[in-house]
Amino acid sequence: MDVAALAGVSPGTVSKALNNTGALRASTRERVREAAERLGFVPDGSARSLASRRSYSVGLLSSDSAGRFSIPVMLGAENALAAGQMSALLATSRGDPVREQHHVRALLGRRVDGIIVTGRNTEPRRPIEVPVPVVYAFAPSRAAADASVVPDDAAGARLAVAHLLALGRTRVAIVTGRADRLSARVRVEAAQQALREAGLDTVREPLFGEWTERWGRQATDALLRTTQHSGQAGPDAIVCGSDQVARGVTDRLRERGVSVPGQVAVTGYDDWDVMSLASRPPLTTLDPRLEDLGRRAAELLLDAIAGAPHHGVELVPPQLVVRESTTDD
């Protein structure tokens, strides 16, 4: 009532202005907000929740203990939620199903309006059964009807190959992570397809291993050894499945006296600056735009909370980041 008196409007108009509801002129909303700020008025969250039967809060549930991929996703989601005047409650299960169920019950106990589920990789995961809207970010749901937002790994691999072909590279090798990981397989298959469409093939079969610098060094030795023994020309480009692998590749090439990118161009994946910028030379890589992915997941969740749910998988295209590992320009 104090805000209404200062703004020269009714208490009902104050409620509509501060809750972004009703058909009010922009000047009226602004006048009410200025009055509220002058008086230091803070809306009663409990009253708002009781009136609307909503908590204006969302759960962010992650299975990732390290946070390498999930933290950027959650930051993007939180930014979008804050813009929609929603609070975010973070819970991490650390890959433990029992802990995850505990967190789900706790979030429901706090009457969250919805939940965003994320994880440490893009392997499809078991959906959670809850009576509120859910969107899966980065780690998609196995249920086709659920809404999931994931990186377009195939598009990223094609971007890397197209970049190398545009530079005139024609003898391309692939070194990636574990063969049992969906992201590794998808990227390899897309890179091979892009090469075939250009009338080319890889120097040898793709090398699968661990997502480590050590594996990058070992794979580089194997590549150079194979080409030397066969008498064939070695690769003039190596497409790597992660920045960690790519940094190991560039280190080993330098130790073997092979110039990067003079003799061999190298691409990474993830744009993890701890690796991509510290590599010598800095890595050309693919940025999966994880914050944008998280923001989009939050937008889908807000739509679902408003009664307009989405279904199926939405792909977020990556961005090619060109640095000195492929070009001196």
PDB file of all heavy atoms in Angstrom, residues 103-141:
ATOM      1  N   HIS A 103      18.700 -36.010  -3.682  1.00  0.00           N
ATOM      2  CA  HIS A 103      18.628 -34.619  -4.128  1.00  0.00           C
ATOM      3  C   HIS A 103      17.302 -34.332  -4.838  1.00  0.00           C
ATOM      4  O   HIS A 103      16.733 -33.245  -4.681  1.00  0.00           O
ATOM      5  CB  HIS A 103      19.797 -34.291  -5.048  1.00  0.00           C
ATOM      6  CG  HIS A 103      21.100 -34.126  -4.335  1.00  0.00           C
ATOM      7  ND1 HIS A 103      21.232 -33.388  -3.186  1.00  0.00           N
ATOM      8  CD2 HIS A 103      22.346 -34.604  -4.622  1.00  0.00           C
ATOM      9  CE1 HIS A 103      22.492 -33.411  -2.784  1.00  0.00           C
ATOM     10  NE2 HIS A 103      23.189 -34.141  -3.636  1.00  0.00           N
ATOM     11  N   VAL A 104      16.812 -35.296  -5.611  1.00  0.00           N
ATOM     12  CA  VAL A 104      15.529 -35.105  -6.290  1.00  0.00           C
ATOM     13  C   VAL A 104      14.423 -34.905  -5.255  1.00  0.00           C
ATOM     14  O   VAL A 104      13.588 -34.001  -5.376  1.00  0.00           O
ATOM     15  CB  VAL A 104      15.211 -36.309  -7.208  1.00  0.00           C
ATOM     16  CG1 VAL A 104      13.763 -36.257  -7.673  1.00  0.00           C
ATOM     17  CG2 VAL A 104      16.144 -36.322  -8.409  1.00  0.00           C
ATOM     18  N   ARG A 105      14.406 -35.746  -4.216  1.00  0.00           N
ATOM     19  CA  ARG A 105      13.384 -35.601  -3.174  1.00  0.00           C
ATOM     20  C   ARG A 105      13.521 -34.259  -2.459  1.00  0.00           C
ATOM     21  O   ARG A 105      12.516 -33.603  -2.138  1.00  0.00           O
ATOM     22  CB  ARG A 105      13.489 -36.748  -2.167  1.00  0.00           C
ATOM     23  CG  ARG A 105      13.039 -38.102  -2.718  1.00  0.00           C
ATOM     24  CD  ARG A 105      12.902 -39.118  -1.605  1.00  0.00           C
ATOM     25  NE  ARG A 105      14.190 -39.387  -0.957  1.00  0.00           N
ATOM     26  CZ  ARG A 105      15.021 -40.351  -1.318  1.00  0.00           C
ATOM     27  NH1 ARG A 105      14.707 -41.132  -2.354  1.00  0.00           N
ATOM     28  NH2 ARG A 105      16.164 -40.543  -0.686  1.00  0.00           N
ATOM     29  N   ALA A 106      14.771 -33.836  -2.214  1.00  0.00           N
ATOM     30  CA  ALA A 106      14.984 -32.555  -1.529  1.00  0.00           C
ATOM     31  C   ALA A 106      14.496 -31.388  -2.389  1.00  0.00           C
ATOM     32  O   ALA A 106      13.882 -30.447  -1.876  1.00  0.00           O
ATOM     33  CB  ALA A 106      16.462 -32.395  -1.192  1.00  0.00           C
ATOM     34  N   LEU A 107      14.758 -31.443  -3.688  1.00  0.00           N
ATOM     35  CA  LEU A 107      14.305 -30.372  -4.576  1.00  0.00           C
ATOM     36  C   LEU A 107      12.781 -30.323  -4.643  1.00  0.00           C
ATOM     37  O   LEU A 107      12.180 -29.240  -4.609  1.00  0.00           O
ATOM     38  CB  LEU A 107      14.895 -30.566  -5.974  1.00  0.00           C
ATOM     39  CG  LEU A 107      16.412 -30.343  -6.100  1.00  0.00           C
ATOM     40  CD1 LEU A 107      16.899 -30.781  -7.480  1.00  0.00           C
ATOM     41  CD2 LEU A 107      16.773 -28.885  -5.853  1.00  0.00           C
ATOM     42  N   LEU A 108      12.167 -31.496  -4.724  1.00  0.00           N
ATOM     43  CA  LEU A 108      10.706 -31.525  -4.740  1.00  0.00           C
ATOM     44  C   LEU A 108      10.147 -31.025  -3.413  1.00  0.00           C
ATOM     45  O   LEU A 108       9.093 -30.367  -3.375  1.00  0.00           O
ATOM     46  CB  LEU A 108      10.211 -32.939  -5.028  1.00  0.00           C
ATOM     47  CG  LEU A 108      10.511 -33.484  -6.433  1.00  0.00           C
ATOM     48  CD1 LEU A 108      10.043 -34.922  -6.560  1.00  0.00           C
ATOM     49  CD2 LEU A 108       9.863 -32.613  -7.505  1.00  0.00           C
ATOM     50  N   GLY A 109      10.851 -31.318  -2.314  1.00  0.00           N
ATOM     51  CA  GLY A 109      10.421 -30.831  -1.011  1.00  0.00           C
ATOM     52  C   GLY A 109      10.455 -29.314  -0.927  1.00  0.00           C
ATOM     53  O   GLY A 109       9.707 -28.710  -0.142  1.00  0.00           O
ATOM     54  N   ARG A 110      11.306 -28.704  -1.717  1.00  0.00           N
ATOM     55  CA  ARG A 110      11.373 -27.240  -1.771  1.00  0.00           C
ATOM     56  C   ARG A 110      10.419 -26.679  -2.826  1.00  0.00           C
ATOM     57  O   ARG A 110      10.463 -25.498  -3.124  1.00  0.00           O
ATOM     58  CB  ARG A 110      12.810 -26.795  -2.068  1.00  0.00           C
ATOM     59  CG  ARG A 110      13.773 -27.052  -0.911  1.00  0.00           C
ATOM     60  CD  ARG A 110      15.195 -26.683  -1.303  1.00  0.00           C
ATOM     61  NE  ARG A 110      16.114 -26.837  -0.187  1.00  0.00           N
ATOM     62  CZ  ARG A 110      16.434 -25.875   0.661  1.00  0.00           C
ATOM     63  NH1 ARG A 110      15.875 -24.679   0.523  1.00  0.00           N
ATOM     64  NH2 ARG A 110      17.280 -26.086   1.649  1.00  0.00           N
ATOM     65  N   ARG A 111       9.622 -27.556  -3.408  1.00  0.00           N
ATOM     66  CA  ARG A 111       8.568 -27.168  -4.355  1.00  0.00           C
ATOM     67  C   ARG A 111       9.128 -26.436  -5.575  1.00  0.00           C
ATOM     68  O   ARG A 111       8.578 -25.423  -6.010  1.00  0.00           O
ATOM     69  CB  ARG A 111       7.505 -26.326  -3.650  1.00  0.00           C
ATOM     70  CG  ARG A 111       6.807 -27.041  -2.515  1.00  0.00           C
ATOM     71  CD  ARG A 111       5.777 -26.185  -1.802  1.00  0.00           C
ATOM     72  NE  ARG A 111       4.763 -25.714  -2.731  1.00  0.00           N
ATOM     73  CZ  ARG A 111       4.566 -24.432  -3.030  1.00  0.00           C
ATOM     74  NH1 ARG A 111       5.350 -23.500  -2.489  1.00  0.00           N
ATOM     75  NH2 ARG A 111       3.611 -24.069  -3.860  1.00  0.00           N
ATOM     76  N   VAL A 112      10.240 -26.932  -6.115  1.00  0.00           N
ATOM     77  CA  VAL A 112      10.789 -26.308  -7.327  1.00  0.00           C
ATOM     78  C   VAL A 112       9.776 -26.406  -8.458  1.00  0.00           C
ATOM     79  O   VAL A 112       8.976 -27.353  -8.522  1.00  0.00           O
ATOM     80  CB  VAL A 112      12.121 -26.955  -7.750  1.00  0.00           C
ATOM     81  CG1 VAL A 112      13.211 -26.707  -6.722  1.00  0.00           C
ATOM     82  CG2 VAL A 112      11.947 -28.451  -8.008  1.00  0.00           C
ATOM     83  N   ASP A 113       9.799 -25.423  -9.346  1.00  0.00           N
ATOM     84  CA  ASP A 113       8.872 -25.405 -10.480  1.00  0.00           C
ATOM     85  C   ASP A 113       9.333 -26.311 -11.611  1.00  0.00           C
ATOM     86  O   ASP A 113       8.544 -26.635 -12.506  1.00  0.00           O
ATOM     87  CB  ASP A 113       8.722 -23.978 -11.007  1.00  0.00           C
ATOM     88  CG  ASP A 113       8.085 -23.053  -9.979  1.00  0.00           C
ATOM     89  OD1 ASP A 113       7.275 -23.534  -9.166  1.00  0.00           O
ATOM     90  OD2 ASP A 113       8.426 -21.855  -9.971  1.00  0.00           O
ATOM     91  N   GLY A 114      10.584 -26.704 -11.612  1.00  0.00           N
ATOM     92  CA  GLY A 114      11.121 -27.568 -12.650  1.00  0.00           C
ATOM     93  C   GLY A 114      12.557 -27.923 -12.331  1.00  0.00           C
ATOM     94  O   GLY A 114      13.146 -27.388 -11.380  1.00  0.00           O
ATOM     95  N   ILE A 115      13.144 -28.831 -13.122  1.00  0.00           N
ATOM     96  CA  ILE A 115      14.514 -29.291 -12.878  1.00  0.00           C
ATOM     97  C   ILE A 115      15.266 -29.371 -14.206  1.00  0.00           C
ATOM     98  O   ILE A 115      14.728 -29.852 -15.205  1.00  0.00           O
ATOM     99  CB  ILE A 115      14.536 -30.676 -12.200  1.00  0.00           C
ATOM    100  CG1 ILE A 115      13.845 -30.611 -10.825  1.00  0.00           C
ATOM    101  CG2 ILE A 115      15.969 -31.192 -12.040  1.00  0.00           C
ATOM    102  CD1 ILE A 115      13.719 -31.966 -10.148  1.00  0.00           C
ATOM    103  N   ILE A 116      16.505 -28.878 -14.199  1.00  0.00           N
ATOM    104  CA  ILE A 116      17.426 -29.076 -15.319  1.00  0.00           C
ATOM    105  C   ILE A 116      18.446 -30.114 -14.881  1.00  0.00           C
ATOM    106  O   ILE A 116      19.092 -29.963 -13.833  1.00  0.00           O
ATOM    107  CB  ILE A 116      18.134 -27.772 -15.711  1.00  0.00           C
ATOM    108  CG1 ILE A 116      17.122 -26.761 -16.255  1.00  0.00           C
ATOM    109  CG2 ILE A 116      19.222 -28.036 -16.761  1.00  0.00           C
ATOM    110  CD1 ILE A 116      17.716 -25.401 -16.551  1.00  0.00           C
ATOM    111  N   VAL A 117      18.591 -31.165 -15.666  1.00  0.00           N
ATOM    112  CA  VAL A 117      19.517 -32.254 -15.354  1.00  0.00           C
ATOM    113  C   VAL A 117      20.695 -32.187 -16.314  1.00  0.00           C
ATOM    114  O   VAL A 117      20.510 -32.106 -17.537  1.00  0.00           O
ATOM    115  CB  VAL A 117      18.821 -33.625 -15.470  1.00  0.00           C
ATOM    116  CG1 VAL A 117      19.811 -34.756 -15.168  1.00  0.00           C
ATOM    117  CG2 VAL A 117      17.624 -33.705 -14.526  1.00  0.00           C
ATOM    118  N   THR A 118      21.906 -32.223 -15.780  1.00  0.00           N
ATOM    119  CA  THR A 118      23.096 -32.232 -16.629  1.00  0.00           C
ATOM    120  C   THR A 118      24.078 -33.273 -16.120  1.00  0.00           C
ATOM    121  O   THR A 118      23.845 -33.918 -15.095  1.00  0.00           O
ATOM    122  CB  THR A 118      23.749 -30.837 -16.687  1.00  0.00           C
ATOM    123  OG1 THR A 118      24.808 -30.845 -17.657  1.00  0.00           O
ATOM    124  CG2 THR A 118      24.318 -30.425 -15.343  1.00  0.00           C
ATOM    125  N   GLY A 119      25.187 -33.462 -16.842  1.00  0.00           N
ATOM    126  CA  GLY A 119      26.142 -34.496 -16.462  1.00  0.00           C
ATOM    127  C   GLY A 119      27.524 -34.224 -17.014  1.00  0.00           C
ATOM    128  O   GLY A 119      27.781 -33.161 -17.580  1.00  0.00           O
ATOM    129  N   ARG A 120      28.396 -35.214 -16.910  1.00  0.00           N
ATOM    130  CA  ARG A 120      29.786 -35.020 -17.295  1.00  0.00           C
ATOM    131  C   ARG A 120      30.086 -35.440 -18.727  1.00  0.00           C
ATOM    132  O   ARG A 120      31.177 -35.205 -19.226  1.00  0.00           O
ATOM    133  CB  ARG A 120      30.704 -35.775 -16.340  1.00  0.00           C
ATOM    134  CG  ARG A 120      30.550 -37.283 -16.355  1.00  0.00           C
ATOM    135  CD  ARG A 120      31.495 -37.955 -15.362  1.00  0.00           C
ATOM    136  NE  ARG A 120      32.879 -37.575 -15.604  1.00  0.00           N
ATOM    137  CZ  ARG A 120      33.876 -37.860 -14.785  1.00  0.00           C
ATOM    138  NH1 ARG A 120      33.642 -38.489 -13.644  1.00  0.00           N
ATOM    139  NH2 ARG A 120      35.115 -37.527 -15.087  1.00  0.00           N
ATOM    140  N   ASN A 121      29.136 -36.098 -19.403  1.00  0.00           N
ATOM    141  CA  ASN A 121      29.345 -36.481 -20.795  1.00  0.00           C
ATOM    142  C   ASN A 121      28.009 -36.529 -21.512  1.00  0.00           C
ATOM    143  O   ASN A 121      26.952 -36.296 -20.913  1.00  0.00           O
ATOM    144  CB  ASN A 121      30.084 -37.823 -20.902  1.00  0.00           C
ATOM    145  CG  ASN A 121      29.371 -38.936 -20.144  1.00  0.00           C
ATOM    146  OD1 ASN A 121      28.180 -39.156 -20.322  1.00  0.00           O
ATOM    147  ND2 ASN A 121      30.104 -39.644 -19.288  1.00  0.00           N
ATOM    148  N   THR A 122      28.050 -36.832 -22.800  1.00  0.00           N
ATOM    149  CA  THR A 122      26.836 -36.793 -23.622  1.00  0.00           C
ATOM    150  C   THR A 122      26.180 -38.161 -23.763  1.00  0.00           C
ATOM    151  O   THR A 122      25.346 -38.358 -24.652  1.00  0.00           O
ATOM    152  CB  THR A 122      27.156 -36.230 -25.014  1.00  0.00           C
ATOM    153  OG1 THR A 122      28.186 -37.038 -25.625  1.00  0.00           O
ATOM    154  CG2 THR A 122      27.626 -34.786 -24.936  1.00  0.00           C
ATOM    155  N   GLU A 123      26.525 -39.106 -22.906  1.00  0.00           N
ATOM    156  CA  GLU A 123      25.870 -40.408 -22.943  1.00  0.00           C
ATOM    157  C   GLU A 123      24.410 -40.261 -22.507  1.00  0.00           C
ATOM    158  O   GLU A 123      24.124 -39.623 -21.485  1.00  0.00           O
ATOM    159  CB  GLU A 123      26.579 -41.390 -22.005  1.00  0.00           C
ATOM    160  CG  GLU A 123      28.042 -41.629 -22.318  1.00  0.00           C
ATOM    161  CD  GLU A 123      28.247 -42.267 -23.685  1.00  0.00           C
ATOM    162  OE1 GLU A 123      27.484 -43.190 -24.031  1.00  0.00           O
ATOM    163  OE2 GLU A 123      29.166 -41.831 -24.397  1.00  0.00           O
ATOM    164  N   PRO A 124      23.465 -40.830 -23.265  1.00  0.00           N
ATOM    165  CA  PRO A 124      22.062 -40.776 -22.835  1.00  0.00           C
ATOM    166  C   PRO A 124      21.896 -41.390 -21.449  1.00  0.00           C
ATOM    167  O   PRO A 124      22.512 -42.406 -21.129  1.00  0.00           O
ATOM    168  CB  PRO A 124      21.340 -41.594 -23.907  1.00  0.00           C
ATOM    169  CG  PRO A 124      22.224 -41.498 -25.112  1.00  0.00           C
ATOM    170  CD  PRO A 124      23.616 -41.491 -24.575  1.00  0.00           C
ATOM    171  N   ARG A 125      21.089 -40.790 -20.618  1.00  0.00           N
ATOM    172  CA  ARG A 125      20.931 -41.222 -19.239  1.00  0.00           C
ATOM    173  C   ARG A 125      19.468 -41.567 -18.933  1.00  0.00           C
ATOM    174  O   ARG A 125      18.549 -41.165 -19.644  1.00  0.00           O
ATOM    175  CB  ARG A 125      21.405 -40.138 -18.285  1.00  0.00           C
ATOM    176  CG  ARG A 125      20.733 -38.773 -18.453  1.00  0.00           C
ATOM    177  CD  ARG A 125      20.728 -38.012 -17.150  1.00  0.00           C
ATOM    178  NE  ARG A 125      19.824 -38.622 -16.198  1.00  0.00           N
ATOM    179  CZ  ARG A 125      19.975 -38.598 -14.881  1.00  0.00           C
ATOM    180  NH1 ARG A 125      20.989 -37.960 -14.352  1.00  0.00           N
ATOM    181  NH2 ARG A 125      19.098 -39.166 -14.070  1.00  0.00           N
ATOM    182  N   ARG A 126      19.292 -42.310 -17.851  1.00  0.00           N
ATOM    183  CA  ARG A 126      17.955 -42.666 -17.390  1.00  0.00           C
ATOM    184  C   ARG A 126      17.213 -41.411 -16.952  1.00  0.00           C
ATOM    185  O   ARG A 126      17.748 -40.590 -16.221  1.00  0.00           O
ATOM    186  CB  ARG A 126      18.074 -43.644 -16.216  1.00  0.00           C
ATOM    187  CG  ARG A 126      16.762 -43.996 -15.546  1.00  0.00           C
ATOM    188  CD  ARG A 126      17.014 -44.917 -14.350  1.00  0.00           C
ATOM    189  NE  ARG A 126      17.978 -44.329 -13.432  1.00  0.00           N
ATOM    190  CZ  ARG A 126      17.683 -43.415 -12.519  1.00  0.00           C
ATOM    191  NH1 ARG A 126      16.446 -42.943 -12.413  1.00  0.00           N
ATOM    192  NH2 ARG A 126      18.611 -42.943 -11.714  1.00  0.00           N
ATOM    193  N   PRO A 127      15.964 -41.231 -17.393  1.00  0.00           N
ATOM    194  CA  PRO A 127      15.228 -40.034 -16.976  1.00  0.00           C
ATOM    195  C   PRO A 127      14.812 -40.114 -15.513  1.00  0.00           C
ATOM    196  O   PRO A 127      14.715 -41.197 -14.942  1.00  0.00           O
ATOM    197  CB  PRO A 127      13.996 -40.048 -17.899  1.00  0.00           C
ATOM    198  CG  PRO A 127      13.821 -41.478 -18.280  1.00  0.00           C
ATOM    199  CD  PRO A 127      15.205 -42.066 -18.336  1.00  0.00           C
ATOM    200  N   ILE A 128      14.604 -38.962 -14.900  1.00  0.00           N
ATOM    201  CA  ILE A 128      14.088 -38.926 -13.538  1.00  0.00           C
ATOM    202  C   ILE A 128      12.570 -38.816 -13.603  1.00  0.00           C
ATOM    203  O   ILE A 128      12.017 -38.194 -14.505  1.00  0.00           O
ATOM    204  CB  ILE A 128      14.689 -37.766 -12.718  1.00  0.00           C
ATOM    205  CG1 ILE A 128      14.341 -36.408 -13.349  1.00  0.00           C
ATOM    206  CG2 ILE A 128      16.199 -37.922 -12.595  1.00  0.00           C
ATOM    207  CD1 ILE A 128      14.770 -35.215 -12.510  1.00  0.00           C
ATOM    208  N   GLU A 129      11.907 -39.462 -12.667  1.00  0.00           N
ATOM    209  CA  GLU A 129      10.443 -39.467 -12.630  1.00  0.00           C
ATOM    210  C   GLU A 129       9.977 -38.485 -11.575  1.00  0.00           C
ATOM    211  O   GLU A 129      10.052 -38.754 -10.374  1.00  0.00           O
ATOM    212  CB  GLU A 129       9.929 -40.883 -12.330  1.00  0.00           C
ATOM    213  CG  GLU A 129      10.380 -41.941 -13.315  1.00  0.00           C
ATOM    214  CD  GLU A 129       9.793 -41.732 -14.706  1.00  0.00           C
ATOM    215  OE1 GLU A 129       8.729 -41.087 -14.808  1.00  0.00           O
ATOM    216  OE2 GLU A 129      10.402 -42.198 -15.684  1.00  0.00           O
ATOM    217  N   VAL A 130       9.504 -37.337 -12.001  1.00  0.00           N
ATOM    218  CA  VAL A 130       9.069 -36.284 -11.073  1.00  0.00           C
ATOM    219  C   VAL A 130       7.797 -35.623 -11.615  1.00  0.00           C
ATOM    220  O   VAL A 130       7.544 -35.660 -12.821  1.00  0.00           O
ATOM    221  CB  VAL A 130      10.160 -35.213 -10.876  1.00  0.00           C
ATOM    222  CG1 VAL A 130      11.357 -35.778 -10.127  1.00  0.00           C
ATOM    223  CG2 VAL A 130      10.596 -34.637 -12.216  1.00  0.00           C
ATOM    224  N   PRO A 131       7.010 -34.995 -10.746  1.00  0.00           N
ATOM    225  CA  PRO A 131       5.753 -34.368 -11.177  1.00  0.00           C
ATOM    226  C   PRO A 131       5.916 -32.926 -11.659  1.00  0.00           C
ATOM    227  O   PRO A 131       4.940 -32.180 -11.703  1.00  0.00           O
ATOM    228  CB  PRO A 131       4.896 -34.430  -9.911  1.00  0.00           C
ATOM    229  CG  PRO A 131       5.883 -34.318  -8.803  1.00  0.00           C
ATOM    230  CD  PRO A 131       7.129 -35.032  -9.274  1.00  0.00           C
ATOM    231  N   VAL A 132       7.144 -32.512 -11.989  1.00  0.00           N
ATOM    232  CA  VAL A 132       7.391 -31.156 -12.487  1.00  0.00           C
ATOM    233  C   VAL A 132       8.138 -31.257 -13.811  1.00  0.00           C
ATOM    234  O   VAL A 132       8.741 -32.294 -14.115  1.00  0.00           O
ATOM    235  CB  VAL A 132       8.221 -30.326 -11.470  1.00  0.00           C
ATOM    236  CG1 VAL A 132       7.444 -30.137 -10.177  1.00  0.00           C
ATOM    237  CG2 VAL A 132       9.581 -30.979 -11.210  1.00  0.00           C
ATOM    238  N   PRO A 133       8.127 -30.199 -14.631  1.00  0.00           N
ATOM    239  CA  PRO A 133       8.844 -30.245 -15.910  1.00  0.00           C
ATOM    240  C   PRO A 133      10.347 -30.462 -15.719  1.00  0.00           C
ATOM    241  O   PRO A 133      10.940 -29.964 -14.764  1.00  0.00           O
ATOM    242  CB  PRO A 133       8.562 -28.868 -16.525  1.00  0.00           C
ATOM    243  CG  PRO A 133       7.303 -28.403 -15.877  1.00  0.00           C
ATOM    244  CD  PRO A 133       7.353 -28.940 -14.478  1.00  0.00           C
ATOM    245  N   VAL A 134      10.933 -31.220 -16.654  1.00  0.00           N
ATOM    246  CA  VAL A 134      12.374 -31.508 -16.622  1.00  0.00           C
ATOM    247  C   VAL A 134      12.956 -31.295 -18.014  1.00  0.00           C
ATOM    248  O   VAL A 134      12.345 -31.678 -19.019  1.00  0.00           O
ATOM    249  CB  VAL A 134      12.649 -32.959 -16.172  1.00  0.00           C
ATOM    250  CG1 VAL A 134      14.155 -33.231 -16.155  1.00  0.00           C
ATOM    251  CG2 VAL A 134      12.048 -33.230 -14.807  1.00  0.00           C
ATOM    252  N   VAL A 135      14.132 -30.688 -18.078  1.00  0.00           N
ATOM    253  CA  VAL A 135      14.893 -30.565 -19.327  1.00  0.00           C
ATOM    254  C   VAL A 135      16.294 -31.106 -19.065  1.00  0.00           C
ATOM    255  O   VAL A 135      16.891 -30.823 -18.016  1.00  0.00           O
ATOM    256  CB  VAL A 135      14.959 -29.101 -19.809  1.00  0.00           C
ATOM    257  CG1 VAL A 135      15.910 -28.981 -21.003  1.00  0.00           C
ATOM    258  CG2 VAL A 135      13.577 -28.596 -20.203  1.00  0.00           C
ATOM    259  N   TYR A 136      16.815 -31.869 -20.015  1.00  0.00           N
ATOM    260  CA  TYR A 136      18.138 -32.473 -19.887  1.00  0.00           C
ATOM    261  C   TYR A 136      19.124 -31.684 -20.739  1.00  0.00           C
ATOM    262  O   TYR A 136      18.875 -31.421 -21.921  1.00  0.00           O
ATOM    263  CB  TYR A 136      18.090 -33.939 -20.321  1.00  0.00           C
ATOM    264  CG  TYR A 136      17.164 -34.763 -19.457  1.00  0.00           C
ATOM    265  CD1 TYR A 136      15.793 -34.771 -19.698  1.00  0.00           C
ATOM    266  CD2 TYR A 136      17.643 -35.482 -18.367  1.00  0.00           C
ATOM    267  CE1 TYR A 136      14.930 -35.488 -18.890  1.00  0.00           C
ATOM    268  CE2 TYR A 136      16.792 -36.199 -17.557  1.00  0.00           C
ATOM    269  CZ  TYR A 136      15.431 -36.196 -17.822  1.00  0.00           C
ATOM    270  OH  TYR A 136      14.580 -36.901 -17.002  1.00  0.00           O
ATOM    271  N   ALA A 137      20.237 -31.294 -20.138  1.00  0.00           N
ATOM    272  CA  ALA A 137      21.222 -30.459 -20.824  1.00  0.00           C
ATOM    273  C   ALA A 137      22.567 -31.173 -20.863  1.00  0.00           C
ATOM    274  O   ALA A 137      23.072 -31.611 -19.822  1.00  0.00           O
ATOM    275  CB  ALA A 137      21.369 -29.111 -20.103  1.00  0.00           C
ATOM    276  N   PHE A 138      23.140 -31.295 -22.039  1.00  0.00           N
ATOM    277  CA  PHE A 138      24.432 -31.943 -22.292  1.00  0.00           C
ATOM    278  C   PHE A 138      24.305 -33.458 -22.228  1.00  0.00           C
ATOM    279  O   PHE A 138      24.714 -34.154 -23.137  1.00  0.00           O
ATOM    280  CB  PHE A 138      25.506 -31.447 -21.315  1.00  0.00           C
ATOM    281  CG  PHE A 138      26.909 -31.827 -21.714  1.00  0.00           C
ATOM    282  CD1 PHE A 138      27.493 -31.263 -22.830  1.00  0.00           C
ATOM    283  CD2 PHE A 138      27.648 -32.733 -20.978  1.00  0.00           C
ATOM    284  CE1 PHE A 138      28.784 -31.613 -23.214  1.00  0.00           C
ATOM    285  CE2 PHE A 138      28.932 -33.088 -21.346  1.00  0.00           C
ATOM    286  CZ  PHE A 138      29.502 -32.523 -22.468  1.00  0.00           C
ATOM    287  N   ALA A 139      23.785 -33.997 -21.135  1.00  0.00           N
ATOM    288  CA  ALA A 139      23.538 -35.435 -21.004  1.00  0.00           C
ATOM    289  C   ALA A 139      22.058 -35.686 -21.313  1.00  0.00           C
ATOM    290  O   ALA A 139      21.202 -35.401 -20.473  1.00  0.00           O
ATOM    291  CB  ALA A 139      23.884 -35.911 -19.602  1.00  0.00           C
ATOM    292  N   PRO A 140      21.714 -36.178 -22.508  1.00  0.00           N
ATOM    293  CA  PRO A 140      20.311 -36.286 -22.911  1.00  0.00           C
ATOM    294  C   PRO A 140      19.581 -37.425 -22.204  1.00  0.00           C
ATOM    295  O   PRO A 140      20.185 -38.368 -21.695  1.00  0.00           O
ATOM    296  CB  PRO A 140      20.413 -36.551 -24.414  1.00  0.00           C
ATOM    297  CG  PRO A 140      21.708 -37.283 -24.565  1.00  0.00           C
ATOM    298  CD  PRO A 140      22.630 -36.660 -23.548  1.00  0.00           C
ATOM    299  N   SER A 141      18.261 -37.336 -22.205  1.00  0.00           N
ATOM    300  CA  SER A 141      17.432 -38.398 -21.656  1.00  0.00           C
ATOM    301  C   SER A 141      17.300 -39.533 -22.669  1.00  0.00           C
ATOM    302  O   SER A 141      17.298 -39.311 -23.880  1.00  0.00           O
ATOM    303  CB  SER A 141      16.055 -37.853 -21.308  1.00  0.00           C
ATOM    304  OG  SER A 141      15.155 -38.906 -20.993  1.00  0.00           O
TER     305      SER A 141
END
